[in-house]
Amino acid sequence: MALLRDKVVLVNGGSQGVGAGIVRAALREGATVAFTGRRTEIGEKLAADTGAVFLRADLTDAAQVRGVVEQVVTAHGRVDSLVNAAGLTSRGSLLDTSPELFDAHIAINLRAPFFAMQAVVEHLVGRGAPGTIVNIGSNCAHGGPPYLAPYSAAKAGLAGLTRNAAHAHRWDRIRINDLNIGWTETEGEDAIQREFHDAGDDWRERAAERLPMGKLGQVDEIADFVIFLLSDRSGVVTGSVIDWDQNVQGASD
């Protein structure tokens, strides 16, 4: 049986990468899916390829974040599940991060999920209905490399927000979890490696040689895990911040 049959799912940041993988997986599992993105051409192509609904939105604008939820409710009558998959990974250390870069990371990686959750939870509570939310976090929430200082700060905040919201709304039967993903093979990561790390065409192979499982994290594997957390198959789990990675945080040789 399809895991999300007859559910309405909103994926923020669903145009490409992990978000697009989640869009495809949710559709496969029977959901009606709407997703947001900034770039119209990419979003409309995914919508045409899959049958999902593309909603262009600037997630740095809290009013647009909330407005997207209203659009989905107007079009489909409800929202049952939310995935916050949008992410900014521009590099910056403690010493070279400008206020503008810091604010951009907070806006996309923390503030947007906050107000998307606010709008969806308000809707679910108003309906008296259960629901599920998954936030795509990062193992950088544990500290991260020096060149991802604002990103790590925002993702640590997202982990705390997940726990807080899950606790606050457990009696509403709204389950909220966070998936801290590790190094993942996406179009965006390819661009980042080339722009900030002078990577060549063989960067994936070189990275795989340094990783325990011999490969980068894969979008389809992450998407399947997210679908599990959105679905009833994940049972009562809420407030969990799950490390989805091949390196064990806190361990050392």
Side-chain angles (χ1 to χ4, degrees):
M1 182 180 294
L3 293 177
L4 298 177
R5 186 175 65 179
D6 299 328
K7 300 295 185 182
V8 178
V9 177
L10 169 62
V11 181
N12 278 327
S15 293
Q16 61 182 9
V18 171
I22 294 166
V23 167
R24 291 189 176 95
L27 288 165
R28 181 196 71 212
E29 294 298 331
T32 296
V33 181
F35 69 96
T36 66
R38 289 183 296 111
R39 291 185 286 179
T40 302
E41 182 178 352
I42 293 175
E44 289 182 346
K45 183 178 187 308
L46 181 62
D49 289 346
T50 63
V53 176
F54 170 60
L55 301 171
R56 189 184 182 283
D58 178 1
L59 298 181
T60 66
D61 182 346
Q64 290 190 45
V65 172
R66 290 184 54 86
V68 164
V69 177
E70 294 173 4
Q71 289 180 62
V72 176
V73 172
T74 298
H76 302 289
R78 66 187 197 280
V79 176
D80 300 300
S81 298
L82 167 69
V83 180
N84 285 307
L88 177 68
T89 58
S90 299
R91 279 21 182 177
S93 71
L94 179 66
L95 297 182
D96 64 21
T97 294
S98 66
E100 292 77 16
L101 179 61
F102 183 86
D103 289 347
H105 274 274
I106 295 299
I108 291 294
N109 297 323
L110 183 56
R111 191 175 68 196
F114 185 102
F115 287 104
M117 290 168 63
Q118 182 185 77
V120 169
V121 170
E122 282 179 357
H123 165 71
L124 291 168
V125 170
R127 282 172 52 205
T132 52
I133 297 172
V134 174
N135 294 318
I136 303 300
S138 168
N139 60 7
C140 290
H142 296 287
Y147 55 79
L148 282 174
Y151 178 76
S152 298
K155 290 299 188 178
L158 184 60
L161 171 61
T162 297
R163 294 187 180 100
N164 181 276
H167 175 74
H169 294 284
R170 67 198 191 282
W171 288 105
D172 296 312
R173 298 184 179 177
I174 300 170
R175 299 190 297 108
I176 306 172
N177 295 288
D178 180 299
L179 198 62
N180 278 342
I181 63 175
W183 199 4
T184 304
E185 183 177 348
T186 65
E187 307 98 309
E189 183 61 21
D190 180 64
I192 285 286
Q193 288 297 317
R194 294 175 188 275
E195 179 180 356
F196 292 99
H197 302 287
D198 297 320
D201 293 340
D202 63 344
W203 74 266
R204 297 174 183 82
E205 291 76 16
R206 289 179 175 273
E209 291 171 357
R210 307 196 306 270
L211 293 169
M213 305 303 163
K215 65 176 183 178
L216 293 158
Q218 298 298 302
V219 165
D220 60 337
E221 297 167 350
I222 295 168
D224 285 346
F225 204 101
V226 170
I227 297 305
F228 173 74
L229 290 173
L230 292 176
S231 76
D232 292 340
R233 289 295 298 156
S234 54
V236 299
V237 63
T238 193
S240 291
V241 178
I242 302 166
D243 290 334
W244 193 97
D245 195 17
Q246 53 195 301
N247 293 305
V248 181
Q249 299 298 325
S252 61
D253 294 323

